[in-house]
Amino acid sequence: MNRPKFTVDSIRPDSLKKLQKYAKEADLEWLSTKFDSFVEGHCPICGGDSDSKIIYNIGNKLHYNICNDCNTLFLGTRPDKNAYDEFYNISKTMKLFATHIFKESYVSRLNNIYKPRLQLMLQYFGKFSTQKGKFLEIGAGSGVFSQLVNETKVFFRLHCYRAFSLSRRFLSSKGT
Ligand SMILES: [Zn+2]
């Protein structure tokens, strides 16, 4: 198959770089007003915290920890729930993705990311089970991948969690 070259521009269009930069700066400025709300996070998978290690600082008082019990990588110190809720309502970056970037890069994301990911996932599950199971996607972005998974009918139940309502609007515009 002769597919067009997969580039960053095809999923984050260069034409939107200025808007993306402006949105990121605005979000970081907002984040700087929330440092007092930061809380120490526990491993979201097993709840462990005592032995987790800070392994990577990402700036703005945020860092990743790795859980010593289950090796999950998670955000260590992070904004509290109220700040998260506020962020998903006001974030200019999230809005830009939902209103422009996901739409303009839909075909490239579908063909270069979601469909190959689905193939890999189905191959992997096929090695271990022939029974239908449950599928859970957390932080599903535009939700396109969950939609593809649903269309396979491989899983008898599917849960898809997205924090950002504008992504749901995008899915609606795609007829889902
Ligand atoms: Zn853990």
Side-chain angles (χ1 to χ4, degrees):
M1 189 167 82
N2 204 2
R3 231 173 23 199
K5 189 176 176 193
F6 182 37
T7 62
V8 173
D9 177 58
S10 72
I11 57 170
R12 293 176 186 235
D14 282 342
S15 60
L16 297 172
K17 260 187 178 170
K18 273 189 182 172
L19 282 176
Q20 215 175 333
K21 184 174 182 284
Y22 162 75
K24 180 180 175 185
E25 287 171 359
D27 285 350
L28 287 176
E29 189 175 323
W30 170 86
L31 183 66
S32 71
T33 68
K34 300 295 175 183
F35 288 154
D36 288 345
S37 77
F38 280 19
V39 294
E40 197 63 32
H42 304 292
C43 172
I45 301 301
C46 75
D49 65 337
S50 58
D51 293 327
S52 68
K53 289 187 272 190
I54 295 174
I55 62 158
Y56 186 59
N57 286 306
I58 54 176
N60 297 296
K61 301 190 178 190
L62 299 169
H63 55 81
Y64 285 116
N65 285 18
I66 190 161
C67 177
N68 275 353
D69 296 325
C70 72
N71 288 327
T72 295
L73 188 68
F74 64 99
L75 204 53
T77 303
R78 56 192 175 219
D80 66 11
K81 183 184 181 315
N82 289 337
Y84 267 112
D85 289 345
E86 184 180 337
F87 177 77
Y88 285 116
N89 281 320
I90 60 94
S91 168
K92 294 189 182 321
T93 301
M94 302 294 277
K95 185 175 181 182
L96 183 63
F97 266 84
T99 58
H100 289 82
I101 294 175
F102 284 147
K103 286 180 183 175
E104 292 188 22
S105 62
Y106 175 76
V107 173
S108 179
R109 287 173 184 271
L110 185 67
N111 293 326
N112 295 302
I113 298 174
Y114 302 131
K115 285 183 177 177
R117 182 190 299 167
L118 179 64
Q119 289 297 322
L120 282 174
M121 189 183 82
L122 293 178
Q123 286 171 9
Y124 180 81
F125 286 128
K127 287 181 184 174
F128 297 102
S129 175
T130 55
Q131 296 180 338
K132 286 190 172 188
K134 297 176 188 171
F135 175 81
L136 169 65
E137 185 177 21
I138 298 173
S142 66
V144 173
F145 185 66
S146 280
Q147 181 184 343
L148 277 179
V149 170
N150 190 41
E151 290 169 0
T152 67
K153 309 292 181 205
V154 167
F155 299 91
F156 74 84
R157 185 171 295 157
L158 182 143
H159 296 279
C160 170
Y161 292 96
R162 290 171 287 156
F164 194 49
S165 61
L166 284 176
S167 294
R168 286 190 279 274
R169 261 184 251 162
F170 167 71
L171 275 180
S172 296
S173 72
K174 284 287 171 194
T176 58

